[in-house]
Amino acid sequence: MSKETLTVTDNRTGRQYEIPLTHGNIRTMDLRQIKEDAEDFGVMGYDPAFLNTASCQSNITFIDGDKGILRYRGYPIEELAENCTFLEVAYLLLNKELPTAAQLQEWVDLVKHHTMIHESTKTFLEGFRYDSHPMSMLISSVAALSTIYHDARNIADPIVRRRNVVRLIGKMPTIAAYAYRHSLGYPYVYPDNDLSYTENFMNMLWRMVEPKYVANPILARALDILFILHADHEQNCSTNVMRSVGSSQADPFVSTAAAAAALSGPLHGGANEEVLRMLDEIGTRDNVRAFVDKVKAGHGKLMGFGHRVYKNYDPRARIIKWTAEQVFQVTGKNPKLEIALELEKIALDDEYFVKRKLYPNVDFYSGIIYQAMGFDPAMFTVLFAIPRTVGWLAQWEELIADPEQKIARPRQVYLGQGERHFVPMEKRAAQRVSA
Ligand code: ACO
């Protein structure tokens, strides 16, 4: 019978330590007993970008990056995308199980009852400059919800927690649409609760003078699928922020705003907007080879390529490609698709990308679909933030209920000056200061 332990030898002292393995992993705190002498602090793990550090135990999302597998609560993403609505998947992520028809109806009604935003949030949006980025407006407005829902600070009460979870899921599309309309100078459109989650979002974005907005059902379904694909992705950069801020017991509105801020960066959710900029820069199919050579020479990155976890095809990118075909049947092909396909073909054949296991990620094709549907590139990351809010909140609820979780507070390896004493100004020599 094999033992579920590791034996570590400290070659400085010759001492041996037996460290337990739980689910195949060590607890890094068990390394602290390894000391050179009694004064020593003990060994820590140094892992600046969490390359090999699990920050929590979770039951929500499973990814096998080498095999290209993504599952929510055990269900393959392909099956959920094919068979579910976004709100059904949201229910699954938050409640661990798929809903029955009655449970789904109740859940959809509940979310719809929270789609309106307080009129003061509208006034708040009015204060932004006409050319503000919608993602920046979204981040700030979500944080501002905390000024309205004071009960949200009571994170210890599961009923209050869930009430504010539903508020966020209901209001996210409204804030996003209002931010978009503000940037165009259009009047805001109030939510229409006769419509589905995505149809209502499209209504708030695009309704003009018609008495009732009717979304194209293929486009509304495509958006629903895209929302399902973006709903959660275990411990990514923004979810880590959600958990980290949430661990200080901050309320869910400011925690979600912080997570959205992390998402906005070009290496994370902001990549979808950058992909479109890159395709614009490339301009035509003939320029693709030269662009790839430039990237290989160290000038920039192929945006929408590469992933920390997927070292095989991103399963979401495959579903997105299929969804793109449905959308283009309605909208006509986005001319950028030709450039993207050529880019993918050249990159997947090139030793630089093959060796580094760089494949298209979820952001590579999503922007092309969004643009064909009529979204401005500045809205792309907002479209990511709306569904990811569900994942952030499911992870946040899991964090709050986890008795092992404490305030997130990493250690550092200090490499700065040892102790030195104050020097009066007149005795200081000028030192070269580097950034
Ligand atoms: N284009 C060109 N080279 C790349 C790319 C890329 N998109 N991504 C990684 N590389 C190279 C790196 O330069 C590095 O090369 P080296 O070993 O010669 O130094 C190697 O591949 C490994 O890359 P890392 O940066 O170590 O990979 P990491 O896991 O830290 O980063 C990330 C992952 C941030 C996604 C990265 O691949 C990237 O910047 N991609 C482009 C931005 C993007 O599409 N982000 C969206 C990710 S999906 C999401 O967040 C929703």
Side-chain angles (χ1 to χ4, degrees), residues 267-268 271 301-302 304-306 308 352 356 358 361 363 384:
L267 296 190
H268 192 13
K301 282 184 169 180
L302 260 195
F305 259 71
R308 169 62 59 77
Y352 176 97
R356 290 169 177 78
L358 300 171
N361 58 50
D363 289 324
F384 193 152

Side-chain angles (χ1 to χ4, degrees), residues 331-383:
T331 62
K333 252 192 191 133
N334 184 334
K336 304 237 169 59
L337 181 69
E338 225 192 16
I339 305 171
L341 287 169
E342 182 71 5
L343 194 56
E344 180 180 355
K345 193 166 116 228
I346 290 180
L348 292 184
D349 234 22
D350 193 293
E351 208 224 320
Y352 176 97
F353 296 93
V354 174
K355 206 172 99 195
R356 290 169 177 78
K357 299 188 174 176
L358 300 171
Y359 294 88
N361 58 50
V362 69
D363 289 324
F364 190 64
Y365 284 105
S366 60
I368 298 173
I369 307 184
Y370 291 145
Q371 195 178 46
M373 288 172 81
F375 288 104
D376 187 79
M379 278 296 283
F380 293 176
T381 313
V382 170
L383 293 168

Side-chain angles (χ1 to χ4, degrees), residues 143-159:
L145 292 180
S146 159
T147 63
I148 296 166
Y149 302 110
H150 301 168
D151 65 336
R153 286 165 175 258
N154 183 7
I155 59 116
D157 183 334
I159 295 169

Side-chain angles (χ1 to χ4, degrees), residues 34-154:
I34 305 174
K35 296 181 180 198
E36 217 173 347
D37 52 50
E39 296 290 295
D40 189 3
F41 182 76
V43 172
M44 297 187 294
Y46 172 61
D47 190 5
F50 298 118
L51 287 167
N52 195 39
T53 298
S55 62
C56 62
Q57 301 189 28
S58 180
N59 295 315
I60 302 172
T61 292
F62 172 80
I63 299 176
D64 184 327
D66 291 325
K67 296 196 181 118
I69 292 173
L70 168 62
R71 296 183 200 132
Y72 297 160
R73 302 278 187 196
Y75 293 104
I77 190 68
E78 294 80 3
E79 292 178 25
L80 296 173
E82 192 180 338
N83 298 298
C84 293
T85 60
F86 168 67
L87 282 185
E88 199 176 344
V89 170
Y91 183 99
L92 170 71
L93 286 167
L94 289 160
N95 299 307
K96 307 188 177 113
E97 297 296 340
L98 283 167
T100 63
Q103 285 169 328
L104 181 61
Q105 190 56 53
E106 195 185 333
W107 167 241
V108 169
D109 288 347
L110 187 64
V111 172
K112 281 183 180 175
H113 270 91
H114 289 280
T115 49
M116 294 284 281
I117 56 174
H118 196 281
E119 289 294 299
S120 69
T121 317
K122 257 173 60 183
T123 321
F124 187 81
L125 273 161
E126 290 297 329
F128 290 117
R129 261 179 65 129
Y130 66 95
D131 60 351
S132 306
H133 195 288
M135 193 59 189
S136 307
M137 288 193 263
L138 181 88
I139 294 164
S140 316
S141 308
V142 170
L145 292 180
S146 159
T147 63
I148 296 166
Y149 302 110
H150 301 168
D151 65 336
R153 286 165 175 258
N154 183 7

